[in-house]
Amino acid sequence: MLRATSELEFSNEKNTEEISQLASLVLSGDTSTGEKNSTGLPEKTGYPDSVYIMAANIFQGIRFEKSPEKVLIKYGNEPLRSLPESEDESFQRSSYELAFSALKFQDILEAILIDSCIFPSTTIPDHLSSLIIVMLYDFQDRKFQARFLSDNEEPIAEVQEVENLLNSFKIKLAAALARCRIKHDALSIYHILPETVRNQELRASTLPLYAWINTCKISPEEVYYSLKKRGYNKVKSVLHIDDKVFAVDQHCYDVLIFPSHLKNNLLNIDLFKDYKLIFQDKSRSLAVHSVKALLNMDDDILMVNTGSWYTVAHMSILTNNNTSKIFVCGVKSQAKDPDLKNLFTKMGCKNIEILHEAFLNIESKDHRLQKVKVILLLPRCSGLGVSNPVEFILNEHEDTGLLKDFSQGGTSEDKLHILVQQQYEQLTHAMKFTKAQAVVYCTCSVYPEENEGVVKKALEFQDHGIKVQPYRLSPPVLPLCSLKEIHLSTDKFFRMEPSEITNGCFLSVLTRERDPSEAVSVKDVLARAAAKGLLDGIELGKASKREKKKKKSKIPLSKAPTNDSNDIQRKIAEFLNRESNANANRSETLATKTSLPRKNTTTAGSSSHVRKPNKPTSNPLVPTFMKNTAQPRPYERQTNFVRSRPEDRVMALKPVEIVLPPVMLPFSGSQGIKSQIPTQHFYYRWVGPKTVMPNYFPSPSISRRGEKPRENLPSSLLRHPRPWL
């Protein structure tokens, strides 16, 4: 039946347009390609010869090998000759993408070659089999149309030979492809792929681009202005927007987000050419920002399995204003050092030192790493939380064998076990560095075995014999910007699931427990802050009075003479002694205050520093020398307050300002308050202050002459245990 259908479809073998319609396919890796082509965008025209050669060599190393009884096509072991230009980044990316696409459809492509009688009827050397596979994929991807050849390109004999062979079998190849689609009941060979692979490629086609700002070369504001001049508008979200827009990431202040379709345009602007903006996956930016949050000014950093050198550069840029040094271990070949130094120089990085030893071979007591306080561990992982495996392989891994796992949508149990064991060994080794105080562990995996499984096991079996505090799991140091992120981080792990806006990411922060013998009290914190000048204008309270006397007897202050400091402390001590006797003299104070002349009351009310209360209750916020004096002298009070603030240490008795006269508080008369008011009646005349302090409540009901004041506020509500604070 399949043969009859094929004969009807290909009755006119000379009709190229009909062949193209029968063999039309959706591009693997971009489900929207067909739609794009229907809108008038140009069709694919093929790759340069050097890309086919490099893709064939990559495919040769990652292809699936079959058992001898099932082998239909033999692959040679000899690699094809590559040109020097194949080392270019754009050539590498194109070659890996082509090899990965051929790997996903290896079984189908081999079946098409057998069905079309190319194998075994033709005598083609075995070492060209890989080249045939990758070129056949591109041939059907172009709907069997001719390849566009550049005049400036040097042709390669092997590529020309294979291309001529495929062109001669064009009709039979199209027929074999049509039969394969009918057999699998699929609209295209893309729909034959596993669902996990299709979903992964769907995300890859729409995933936004992330780029971090090189703040050593340009400020964020300058980047925004430059992009705006080029027609890019700043928005809150770039999802489902086809215009030239960008947004600022919520987790990393120096990371910008662009729609995926703008990549080719962005690569051609100066911001990217001059390393002012650098494309990189967001998970790596999250890792370096987590390290930055744990650093002090002079702490060094050890980076393990960095993958992309852009990650190292980003860490260097974030610590540019510090005296930190970044150690990068695991660089196997010293031949790369000149290229790396040249790259770092172009990016403005100055604090990077490369270590050529493997991480597990570095001793924890290495003299070079004695100032390392934070270790950033980016272990090799399955990476199945990443949507674009080619970018992941190029930027983070040199092991192209992981493309096999991506092509199948999962990792085998044996390989996953090997990765988990490597991750555990590296994490436990990082925890042995006695000077380090934190370890940041970050992966792009979705497997719990590689994430929380490794961390929990390392914490459980960490060595408690060494004379350092053990590690504990700490909460994320990154902001949680949604309820989903908060829910995913309830167990102190930071997780981002693969979605249409970001790749998957797992991040864990381990910090050493605080040594109980080094516990710092609140008094010590305040004392240190005062010694550093962080508490200028604020006097320490009663709790630190004795300590301050002891310290001042040993360490003279450079800002003020010793006599002035002792005088201040003596006055504070006298003030506290008077306050301790305030309750005993309440009745005497009450009688004294009720007989105060109106003139003195007015004078006290006009002071911009202290408002003398008219209520007949003792209040600890009011200085005692004001209470026990029958004839107060305003000029002496003012002098005392000036003396209590040497060196511009503002207002040792500043809380006195919030003591409000009862006539200014518009409280309603309640039974609880009335019970505390004396039975006799008082008549006052209140004159408002010339300068209203911001802490005063507005009082529309100031008592006039001859009027009764409103009920007083209970003294218990106004008491303050340390009024000089």
Side-chain angles (χ1 to χ4, degrees), residues 284-311:
R284 294 316 184 225
S285 296
L286 293 172
V288 297
H289 273 274
S290 297
V291 173
K292 178 63 170 61
L294 299 168
L295 288 177
N296 293 319
M297 289 295 293
D298 58 345
D299 292 345
D300 289 348
I301 307 161
L302 177 61
M303 300 184 68
V304 184
N305 294 339
T306 56
S308 173
W309 293 111
Y310 289 153
T311 307

mmCIF file of all heavy atoms in Angstrom, residues 284-311:
data_model
loop_
_atom_site.group_PDB
_atom_site.id
_atom_site.type_symbol
_atom_site.label_atom_id
_atom_site.label_comp_id
_atom_site.label_asym_id
_atom_site.label_seq_id
_atom_site.Cartn_x
_atom_site.Cartn_y
_atom_site.Cartn_z
ATOM 1 N N ARG A 284 24.137 31.454 35.858
ATOM 2 C CA ARG A 284 25.505 31.822 36.235
ATOM 3 C C ARG A 284 25.541 33.205 36.902
ATOM 4 O O ARG A 284 26.351 33.445 37.797
ATOM 5 C CB ARG A 284 26.407 31.796 35.007
ATOM 6 C CG ARG A 284 26.599 30.409 34.397
ATOM 7 C CD ARG A 284 26.851 29.394 35.461
ATOM 8 N NE ARG A 284 27.142 28.068 34.973
ATOM 9 C CZ ARG A 284 26.616 26.963 35.450
ATOM 10 N NH1 ARG A 284 25.703 27.040 36.406
ATOM 11 N NH2 ARG A 284 26.969 25.772 34.991
ATOM 12 N N SER A 285 24.683 34.093 36.478
ATOM 13 C CA SER A 285 24.609 35.397 37.136
ATOM 14 C C SER A 285 24.064 35.257 38.556
ATOM 15 O O SER A 285 24.505 35.951 39.476
ATOM 16 C CB SER A 285 23.728 36.353 36.321
ATOM 17 O OG SER A 285 24.295 36.612 35.051
ATOM 18 N N LEU A 286 23.104 34.365 38.748
ATOM 19 C CA LEU A 286 22.582 34.118 40.089
ATOM 20 C C LEU A 286 23.678 33.588 41.009
ATOM 21 O O LEU A 286 23.747 33.952 42.190
ATOM 22 C CB LEU A 286 21.424 33.123 40.027
ATOM 23 C CG LEU A 286 20.149 33.592 39.334
ATOM 24 C CD1 LEU A 286 19.170 32.427 39.183
ATOM 25 C CD2 LEU A 286 19.493 34.720 40.106
ATOM 26 N N ALA A 287 24.542 32.741 40.469
ATOM 27 C CA ALA A 287 25.609 32.157 41.281
ATOM 28 C C ALA A 287 26.603 33.217 41.740
ATOM 29 O O ALA A 287 26.946 33.288 42.927
ATOM 30 C CB ALA A 287 26.325 31.062 40.486
ATOM 31 N N VAL A 288 27.066 34.067 40.836
ATOM 32 C CA VAL A 288 28.073 35.064 41.214
ATOM 33 C C VAL A 288 27.479 36.138 42.119
ATOM 34 O O VAL A 288 28.165 36.657 43.010
ATOM 35 C CB VAL A 288 28.718 35.690 39.959
ATOM 36 C CG1 VAL A 288 29.470 34.644 39.156
ATOM 37 C CG2 VAL A 288 27.696 36.374 39.080
ATOM 38 N N HIS A 289 26.212 36.464 41.936
ATOM 39 C CA HIS A 289 25.589 37.434 42.832
ATOM 40 C C HIS A 289 25.412 36.851 44.235
ATOM 41 O O HIS A 289 25.470 37.592 45.228
ATOM 42 C CB HIS A 289 24.243 37.885 42.271
ATOM 43 C CG HIS A 289 24.341 39.031 41.316
ATOM 44 N ND1 HIS A 289 24.348 40.342 41.722
ATOM 45 C CD2 HIS A 289 24.465 39.065 39.959
ATOM 46 C CE1 HIS A 289 24.460 41.140 40.676
ATOM 47 N NE2 HIS A 289 24.531 40.391 39.594
ATOM 48 N N SER A 290 25.195 35.562 44.337
ATOM 49 C CA SER A 290 25.110 34.929 45.654
ATOM 50 C C SER A 290 26.447 34.996 46.368
ATOM 51 O O SER A 290 26.514 35.226 47.581
ATOM 52 C CB SER A 290 24.651 33.475 45.503
ATOM 53 O OG SER A 290 23.349 33.412 44.957
ATOM 54 N N VAL A 291 27.533 34.789 45.627
ATOM 55 C CA VAL A 291 28.868 34.898 46.225
ATOM 56 C C VAL A 291 29.131 36.330 46.666
ATOM 57 O O VAL A 291 29.648 36.575 47.761
ATOM 58 C CB VAL A 291 29.935 34.432 45.209
ATOM 59 C CG1 VAL A 291 31.333 34.703 45.752
ATOM 60 C CG2 VAL A 291 29.770 32.954 44.907
ATOM 61 N N LYS A 292 28.767 37.286 45.829
ATOM 62 C CA LYS A 292 29.001 38.691 46.153
ATOM 63 C C LYS A 292 28.311 39.081 47.459
ATOM 64 O O LYS A 292 28.840 39.872 48.250
ATOM 65 C CB LYS A 292 28.494 39.572 45.012
ATOM 66 C CG LYS A 292 28.643 41.077 45.241
ATOM 67 C CD LYS A 292 30.104 41.476 45.362
ATOM 68 C CE LYS A 292 30.276 42.985 45.342
ATOM 69 N NZ LYS A 292 29.573 43.642 46.459
ATOM 70 N N ALA A 293 27.133 38.536 47.710
ATOM 71 C CA ALA A 293 26.386 38.881 48.921
ATOM 72 C C ALA A 293 27.057 38.357 50.189
ATOM 73 O O ALA A 293 26.755 38.829 51.289
ATOM 74 C CB ALA A 293 24.961 38.344 48.825
ATOM 75 N N LEU A 294 27.970 37.398 50.058
ATOM 76 C CA LEU A 294 28.618 36.798 51.219
ATOM 77 C C LEU A 294 30.005 37.358 51.494
ATOM 78 O O LEU A 294 30.645 36.969 52.465
ATOM 79 C CB LEU A 294 28.738 35.276 51.009
ATOM 80 C CG LEU A 294 27.424 34.512 50.843
ATOM 81 C CD1 LEU A 294 27.697 33.096 50.358
ATOM 82 C CD2 LEU A 294 26.654 34.475 52.150
ATOM 83 N N LEU A 295 30.479 38.271 50.656
ATOM 84 C CA LEU A 295 31.865 38.725 50.718
ATOM 85 C C LEU A 295 32.034 39.944 51.605
ATOM 86 O O LEU A 295 31.151 40.801 51.691
ATOM 87 C CB LEU A 295 32.378 39.060 49.320
ATOM 88 C CG LEU A 295 32.649 37.901 48.355
ATOM 89 C CD1 LEU A 295 33.067 38.453 47.009
ATOM 90 C CD2 LEU A 295 33.714 36.978 48.910
ATOM 91 N N ASN A 296 33.209 40.029 52.229
ATOM 92 C CA ASN A 296 33.712 41.261 52.793
ATOM 93 C C ASN A 296 34.674 41.897 51.795
ATOM 94 O O ASN A 296 34.976 41.325 50.750
ATOM 95 C CB ASN A 296 34.410 40.998 54.131
ATOM 96 C CG ASN A 296 33.440 40.550 55.195
ATOM 97 O OD1 ASN A 296 32.334 41.081 55.305
ATOM 98 N ND2 ASN A 296 33.834 39.558 55.984
ATOM 99 N N MET A 297 35.179 43.056 52.126
ATOM 100 C CA MET A 297 35.976 43.811 51.168
ATOM 101 C C MET A 297 37.238 43.084 50.728
ATOM 102 O O MET A 297 37.655 43.181 49.588
ATOM 103 C CB MET A 297 36.347 45.172 51.766
ATOM 104 C CG MET A 297 35.178 46.128 51.880
ATOM 105 S SD MET A 297 34.505 46.602 50.278
ATOM 106 C CE MET A 297 35.879 47.544 49.624
ATOM 107 N N ASP A 298 37.883 42.331 51.614
ATOM 108 C CA ASP A 298 39.176 41.729 51.289
ATOM 109 C C ASP A 298 39.128 40.210 51.223
ATOM 110 O O ASP A 298 40.159 39.550 51.309
ATOM 111 C CB ASP A 298 40.226 42.167 52.316
ATOM 112 C CG ASP A 298 39.826 41.782 53.741
ATOM 113 O OD1 ASP A 298 38.650 41.443 53.945
ATOM 114 O OD2 ASP A 298 40.692 41.825 54.626
ATOM 115 N N ASP A 299 37.955 39.614 51.076
ATOM 116 C CA ASP A 299 37.829 38.161 50.995
ATOM 117 C C ASP A 299 38.163 37.672 49.591
ATOM 118 O O ASP A 299 37.723 38.251 48.596
ATOM 119 C CB ASP A 299 36.407 37.716 51.357
ATOM 120 C CG ASP A 299 36.096 37.947 52.822
ATOM 121 O OD1 ASP A 299 37.046 38.169 53.594
ATOM 122 O OD2 ASP A 299 34.912 37.910 53.189
ATOM 123 N N ASP A 300 38.930 36.579 49.515
ATOM 124 C CA ASP A 300 39.237 35.958 48.232
ATOM 125 C C ASP A 300 38.194 34.910 47.897
ATOM 126 O O ASP A 300 37.437 34.434 48.758
ATOM 127 C CB ASP A 300 40.626 35.315 48.268
ATOM 128 C CG ASP A 300 41.738 36.344 48.301
ATOM 129 O OD1 ASP A 300 41.433 37.533 48.058
ATOM 130 O OD2 ASP A 300 42.891 35.976 48.559
ATOM 131 N N ILE A 301 38.166 34.525 46.615
ATOM 132 C CA ILE A 301 37.152 33.595 46.103
ATOM 133 C C ILE A 301 37.855 32.484 45.339
ATOM 134 O O ILE A 301 38.818 32.738 44.600
ATOM 135 C CB ILE A 301 36.167 34.311 45.168
ATOM 136 C CG1 ILE A 301 35.574 35.541 45.852
ATOM 137 C CG2 ILE A 301 35.067 33.376 44.702
ATOM 138 C CD1 ILE A 301 34.973 36.536 44.900
ATOM 139 N N LEU A 302 37.385 31.272 45.497
ATOM 140 C CA LEU A 302 37.860 30.127 44.730
ATOM 141 C C LEU A 302 36.717 29.617 43.866
ATOM 142 O O LEU A 302 35.658 29.266 44.385
ATOM 143 C CB LEU A 302 38.364 29.019 45.655
ATOM 144 C CG LEU A 302 38.838 27.728 44.971
ATOM 145 C CD1 LEU A 302 40.016 28.011 44.039
ATOM 146 C CD2 LEU A 302 39.214 26.675 46.011
ATOM 147 N N MET A 303 36.925 29.586 42.550
ATOM 148 C CA MET A 303 35.895 29.146 41.617
ATOM 149 C C MET A 303 36.293 27.782 41.042
ATOM 150 O O MET A 303 37.424 27.597 40.564
ATOM 151 C CB MET A 303 35.716 30.172 40.495
ATOM 152 C CG MET A 303 35.311 31.548 40.979
ATOM 153 S SD MET A 303 34.978 32.736 39.653
ATOM 154 C CE MET A 303 33.484 32.031 38.944
ATOM 155 N N VAL A 304 35.344 26.857 41.074
ATOM 156 C CA VAL A 304 35.589 25.483 40.652
ATOM 157 C C VAL A 304 34.642 25.135 39.511
ATOM 158 O O VAL A 304 33.435 25.385 39.590
ATOM 159 C CB VAL A 304 35.385 24.495 41.825
ATOM 160 C CG1 VAL A 304 35.748 23.078 41.404
ATOM 161 C CG2 VAL A 304 36.201 24.922 43.033
ATOM 162 N N ASN A 305 35.204 24.561 38.421
ATOM 163 C CA ASN A 305 34.407 24.160 37.247
ATOM 164 C C ASN A 305 33.601 25.343 36.709
ATOM 165 O O ASN A 305 32.379 25.279 36.577
ATOM 166 C CB ASN A 305 33.463 23.005 37.593
ATOM 167 C CG ASN A 305 34.209 21.727 37.927
ATOM 168 O OD1 ASN A 305 35.358 21.557 37.553
ATOM 169 N ND2 ASN A 305 33.561 20.843 38.652
ATOM 170 N N THR A 306 34.271 26.390 36.379
ATOM 171 C CA THR A 306 33.575 27.602 35.957
ATOM 172 C C THR A 306 32.883 27.451 34.616
ATOM 173 O O THR A 306 31.911 28.135 34.336
ATOM 174 C CB THR A 306 34.568 28.761 35.869
ATOM 175 O OG1 THR A 306 35.640 28.395 34.994
ATOM 176 C CG2 THR A 306 35.123 29.085 37.232
ATOM 177 N N GLY A 307 33.386 26.533 33.765
ATOM 178 C CA GLY A 307 32.781 26.401 32.435
ATOM 179 C C GLY A 307 33.112 27.601 31.586
ATOM 180 O O GLY A 307 34.213 27.733 31.047
ATOM 181 N N SER A 308 32.164 28.511 31.449
ATOM 182 C CA SER A 308 32.373 29.709 30.646
ATOM 183 C C SER A 308 33.294 30.685 31.375
ATOM 184 O O SER A 308 33.148 30.930 32.573
ATOM 185 C CB SER A 308 31.031 30.380 30.347
ATOM 186 O OG SER A 308 31.235 31.613 29.703
ATOM 187 N N TRP A 309 34.225 31.257 30.627
ATOM 188 C CA TRP A 309 35.105 32.262 31.207
ATOM 189 C C TRP A 309 34.360 33.552 31.485
ATOM 190 O O TRP A 309 34.832 34.396 32.257
ATOM 191 C CB TRP A 309 36.291 32.503 30.281
ATOM 192 C CG TRP A 309 37.185 31.315 30.187
ATOM 193 C CD1 TRP A 309 37.367 30.500 29.111
ATOM 194 C CD2 TRP A 309 38.003 30.785 31.232
ATOM 195 N NE1 TRP A 309 38.253 29.496 29.417
ATOM 196 C CE2 TRP A 309 38.656 29.643 30.708
ATOM 197 C CE3 TRP A 309 38.245 31.155 32.552
ATOM 198 C CZ2 TRP A 309 39.527 28.884 31.477
ATOM 199 C CZ3 TRP A 309 39.114 30.387 33.307
ATOM 200 C CH2 TRP A 309 39.750 29.271 32.766
ATOM 201 N N TYR A 310 33.214 33.714 30.879
ATOM 202 C CA TYR A 310 32.397 34.887 31.170
ATOM 203 C C TYR A 310 31.910 34.864 32.619
ATOM 204 O O TYR A 310 31.679 35.919 33.220
ATOM 205 C CB TYR A 310 31.211 34.963 30.219
ATOM 206 C CG TYR A 310 31.581 35.314 28.800
ATOM 207 C CD1 TYR A 310 30.791 34.914 27.733
ATOM 208 C CD2 TYR A 310 32.725 36.040 28.512
ATOM 209 C CE1 TYR A 310 31.123 35.232 26.420
ATOM 210 C CE2 TYR A 310 33.072 36.367 27.209
ATOM 211 C CZ TYR A 310 32.267 35.953 26.168
ATOM 212 O OH TYR A 310 32.612 36.278 24.889
ATOM 213 N N THR A 311 31.743 33.676 33.192
ATOM 214 C CA THR A 311 31.353 33.584 34.602
ATOM 215 C C THR A 311 32.453 34.134 35.500
ATOM 216 O O THR A 311 32.188 34.872 36.462
ATOM 217 C CB THR A 311 31.048 32.121 34.975
ATOM 218 O OG1 THR A 311 30.092 31.576 34.065
ATOM 219 C CG2 THR A 311 30.508 32.029 36.391
#
